[in-house]
Amino acid sequence: MKRYFRELSVLGALGAILLGLAIFAPAFYQPQPLLSLLTREAPTLVVACGVALVIVCRQIDISVGSIFSVCSVCAGLLAARGWPLLLVLPASVALGAVFGAFNGVLVAGLRLPSIVVTLATMVTLRQGLNLVRQGEFVNLPEGIQWFGLGQTTGQLVLVISSVVILILLALAMRHLAAGRFIYAVGTDAEAARLAGIRPQLVTFLVFVSIGALTGLAAMMNLAQSPQVQPLTGHGLELKVIAAVVVGGVAISGGRGNLWGAFAGLLLLACISPALTHLRIEAYWEKAIQGTIILLAVVADGLRSRKGGN
Amino acid sequence: MSPAPLLELRQLVKNYGGVRALRGVDFDLRAGEVHALLGENGAGKSTLIKVVTGAHAPNGGTITLAGQTVSGLTPATARALGIACIYQQPALFPDLTVAENLALRLNVPSPAARMRWSDCRARATRLLARIGAEISPDAEVRSLSMPEQQLVEIACALGSGARIVIMDEPTASLTQKEQHLLFGVVRDLRKNGVGVIYISHRLEEIFALADRVTVLRDGQSVGTHPVAGIDEAGLIRLMVGREVAPIYPAAESAPGAVVLSLNQLGCRSSGVSNVSFDVRAGEIFGLGGLVGAGRTELARILFGLTPADSGTITLGGQPLTLRTPQAAVAHGIAYVPEDRRRHGVVLDLPIAHNLTMAIHRRLFPTTWLRFGAERALTLDYIRDLAVKCSGPEARGGSLSGGNQQKVSLARWLATKPKLLILDEPTQGVDVGAKSEIHKIVRRLAKEGLAVILISSDLPEVIGLSDRIGVMGGGTLRAILPGGSDPHVVMAAALGTTA
Amino acid sequence: MAATPPAPTTGPGTWKSRLLSHEMLLFYVLIALWLFFYFAGTTVNRRGVTVGFGTLDRQFDILRHSCEIGLLALALTPIIITAGIDLSVGSLLGLCAILFGQLWHDGGLPIPVAAGLTLVIGALAGGLNAILITALRIPPLIVTLGTYSLFRGLAEALTRGSITYTDFPASFLYLGQERWLGLPTQAWILFAVAIVVGVLVHRTTFGRAFRTIGFSPEGARYAGIPVARRLALAYVLAGSIAALAAIIYTARLGQAKADAGTGYELFAITAVVLGGTSIFGGKGSVIGTLLGVAAIAVLKNGLACLPVVMRMNAAEEMSGLLTGALLLFALSVGGMPQLWSGFRPRASATSPLLPPP
């Protein structure tokens, strides 16, 4: 399928890395470390789904890292005050949605460029958090880590729920009219408007969704450790954007899908363990990540060049 | 007493900032008629459509649909009320497939509705077959040609079951074959009791298709007439408010030496092959043909935008390879492009900047900007070409179409070219500016410039050119003398012998 | 048809519109900020010595500390005018600092040679961005996001995350820690670069080309402007200015390490946008950028002098918070007219995410 060439090539690269690990470092496939790896990436996957929606809508959100931090710390504080998990979870999601809505109002309502708006919210939220918390950790009460289910069960719950969210969103993007609206707005907002879609509303709701997803992801992260450290979420935005772009979601909007983003995320997530298992120093991780992003976009560039115009 | 008209507009007013685009338009559309809307550029046709389709809200007046006054029209409600529109530029989503486009355009589903892709596909296939288009419903729209996209638009209008269909210059980018399909669709719609608002600059289409015609001038309707009761001269009189004889300035001097010589020129990627002709100094060489004949593609080769891969270009006796526009400019080739607003003029920049853009090297040899010299030069050209503007600092976007075209032309005249390629120089330009541009082009030829004139306006290309090269299917089909019988030119363009 | 003689120009350029231009508004805000901190942030200590914001030393300090971000903002101004963006300048600063240290310390090169080579390396790194953006037509946002990771990653890999180069000679540190002709030495470099970039953007055909490309890349191409070469110039220039900033950074702190300049790109972009350069391209000025840098610097240092903030020991966070808020405010005020008028001229037509042709 020509239309899914990009997604398939990412899967191919992922397969190659996994195969390489199977041959040279079979230790990678021990169930417990593998599960831990997947658990660590579960919140990232949820955020990546949101970022994919935003990029398909021809916007960008670099404030997800800060929203993630703020939601984590706030949720942690609520939990430390003895709020039950069933209240903390919706509170975190709602808080994320509020921040998303704020971005959404500025981008969709005032029609400001999303890169600058989310840059500003990113700086504001991060520094605001630092100002209020001064880098303090939040100690969580018993029963929050792994949702009180024990480590393995908790890890499975996290991984499965993140994958379920991915599947639901991917199906919605393909089979619900709302999903097509996002693609339509990302391709050509004016044409969408003439077709009776309200592009500003769609954009706003996409930002609300990414906020809510980030709030949810913050909870999924919270459940993995006995403490919340305020630096959590630093650099998340770039990691997630990289994964989504490597997965073939076009930064110019309207193209790509969540499965590609998923594959891109797994590809990037495998680098670090692959480095350790292949005995390359871990300092190279970031450089290799950058190279992979560049390779992915170079491949896109070459392909669109060959494809005419 | 006849039933209430499908659509009735009374004293419609629309302002953009301080500009009054519509100042009291009356218009009505009956079921089962084709009602043509005619007017110079800027007369308010596009604004009228935008108001009727709900894209923009009017500032005054009433819109009555089948006897019911409606207010607060949005694109969605307009569609729900049975209004469909085919835009000049297809308003499709290039990254989505034809079937997906049709599904989104035909009825905006509620966001939570499930898309039934097999149904959508089947309907798309059915609609495309009904208008006789050979397009796969699974093709991504970006891979379609402009006329094919227009056909998808037509399929949208057809499938929407609308009672009112608006067509804004639907034939602007169609080839002969697709025009026939379109005319069939229009007649089909009329037979089924649909009201069609048909906007076109091409009078012959109006006479062939429409039942009634309304002329707009300066945002007002100046008259509605049955087509049977009015002739071409009468319509033009209504449009411009004065008599304009369609007289083309005659050639006054014999052409000089050969400036440009093409031999077997071709470029595979843009579908041009085997083009050979000469253009002499002081000659206007017209390039006629239908849209898609390869004329703009040929111009893009000559301007270095899509380099040739076979054949030779000789300019002033010197063989050339043109790989970039910069090389073409350096050799004295100038190209006034077809798409004025995207390529011809940078709308956000002042006229002065637009005008000197191609002569940076000559006007500012040290790269240091000399504002005084720039301003003087700009004022010269504003005066010379009679550009209506508030001064050299006026932004390109603030000018009317005809004046933008003059600025685009002035930019290239300032390069003192040897060869000037004009691509549809009068498309979308009002009648007054059109004849001014004709006079300028003739004057330039008289001053010894070699001109290639690409035009889809048959009278223009026949009347203005000294010789006419007729293109079709990416190659040169015939070279005819200026003033040839239009039927002969058309026959050559179609590849038949008349 | 009679020619209409062009009317004498009024409209843009009258004194009234000039006084209300973005740059002037920012200038008023800057003055107000400065006066506020002058009165609220200056105190006399027990020994009768004036301390805080109002002292000359403090003013020089502000200048000294804003040089690197100022240079990066200057580097970004032409790029943003072309409707591009460069997220990699901060990372490149880190990489260049490391390479400079290595060339001098490990390579044994004299400081001037090492500095010259560093500038060349910066230009080459900018050239990498330029090639990917112009030859392959990839959107600048995503290219420079990739190089953002790559450059920082290389810096970390080259130092294994731990090596720091120190013990630079005093003659070199003079550049970053002393004064020359009354001003901090590096301020002269900042001014020189500002003049060069200002002339380039406002007084030469290169600047014209940047603006044209920013407004309409296709239009620029059809006008015979060498779009790819002009874009490449902007990115290569940005690379070398980032390298220059790296040298100054090293001289100011007396050490080169891999995390140099982390997050600087955000401050630089903020300064440029605050200075009135449109992220959609075409519009912008170097004066505006300098004012933007100054506003951020005064805010940051002024806050540190306020007694309240000193007690909280949170100047850094407070200034970051206020910078972000200031940017949001500037953006919202700029966006309000569009909300009122209901339709906008060009925002949807171009996206900062789209590639240049």
Side-chain angles (χ1 to χ4, degrees), chain A residues 184-207:
Chain A
V185 171
T187 317
D188 186 339
E190 184 57 21
R193 198 175 77 88
L194 293 174
I197 299 167
R198 283 151 67 193
Q200 306 307 326
L201 184 65
V202 171
T203 309
F204 173 75
L205 290 176
V206 163
F207 272 98

Side-chain angles (χ1 to χ4, degrees), chain A:
Chain A
M1 280 288 283
K2 210 176 131 199
R3 219 180 156 195
Y4 296 108
F5 173 81
R6 180 53 196 277
E7 285 78 8
L8 293 176
S9 57
V10 175
L11 274 182
L14 180 61
I17 287 194
L18 291 178
L19 192 67
L21 282 168
I23 296 169
F24 297 106
F28 175 74
Y29 289 97
Q30 284 167 2
Q32 193 49 49
L34 194 59
L35 185 60
S36 295
L37 172 72
L38 291 176
T39 315
R40 268 201 309 280
E41 298 302 330
T44 323
L45 174 60
V46 173
V47 179
C49 288
V51 167
L53 296 191
V54 170
I55 295 183
V56 165
C57 197
R58 202 192 225 178
Q59 303 290 349
I60 197 144
D61 189 340
I62 54 174
S63 67
V64 282
S66 295
I67 295 180
F68 188 87
S69 310
V70 173
C71 285
S72 296
V73 169
C74 289
L77 287 172
L78 288 180
R81 284 204 178 169
W83 283 38
L85 194 62
L86 279 178
L87 281 179
V88 176
L89 179 69
S92 173
V93 172
L95 186 65
V98 167
F99 289 132
F102 178 74
N103 283 334
V105 165
L106 290 177
V107 173
L110 296 183
R111 320 206 178 194
L112 297 170
S114 50
I115 172 120
V116 188
V117 167
T118 54
L119 174 69
T121 33
M122 167 189 174
V123 173
T124 313
L125 287 180
R126 175 154 303 157
Q127 300 295 350
L129 183 67
N130 289 350
L131 181 66
V132 174
R133 296 293 304 164
Q134 299 282 337
E136 248 181 275
F137 281 52
V138 184
N139 288 312
L140 294 174
E142 291 283 312
I144 293 288
Q145 194 181 9
W146 310 123
F147 306 119
L149 295 173
Q151 181 165 354
T152 311
T153 325
Q155 284 180 324
L156 280 174
V157 167
L158 285 176
V159 171
I160 290 171
S161 53
S162 71
V163 172
V164 166
I165 289 169
L166 167 80
I167 292 174
L168 288 179
L169 278 173
L171 288 178
M173 285 295 273
R174 173 81 193 137
H175 292 288
L176 287 189
R180 291 295 106 174
F181 288 0
I182 298 175
Y183 280 98
V185 171
T187 317
D188 186 339
E190 184 57 21
R193 198 175 77 88
L194 293 174
I197 299 167
R198 283 151 67 193
Q200 306 307 326
L201 184 65
V202 171
T203 309
F204 173 75
L205 290 176
V206 163
F207 272 98
V208 174
S209 321
I210 189 178
L213 285 170
T214 309
L216 181 63
M219 275 309 290
M220 297 172 72
N221 185 53
L222 191 77
Q224 297 188 24
S225 61
Q227 292 179 318
V228 185
Q229 55 145 320
L231 283 182
T232 169
H234 252 243
L236 178 69
E237 58 281 344
L238 292 175
K239 182 176 180 190
V240 170
I241 293 171
V244 169
V245 169
V246 166
V249 179
I251 204 86
S252 50
R255 311 192 93 176
N257 59 52
L258 295 180
W259 303 113
F262 183 42
L265 180 66
L266 286 182
L267 184 62
L268 290 186
C270 284
I271 294 177
S272 169
L275 287 183
T276 7
H277 284 287
L278 300 176
R279 292 187 194 82
I280 301 170
E281 283 175 290
Y283 309 117
W284 285 95
E285 182 179 354
K286 213 172 200 171
I288 290 178
Q289 231 171 48
T291 312
I292 288 188
I293 300 174
L294 287 179
L295 284 179
V297 293
V298 164
D300 273 359
L302 287 175
R303 209 159 73 88
S304 72
R305 255 195 123 178
K306 218 169 66 185
N309 56 81

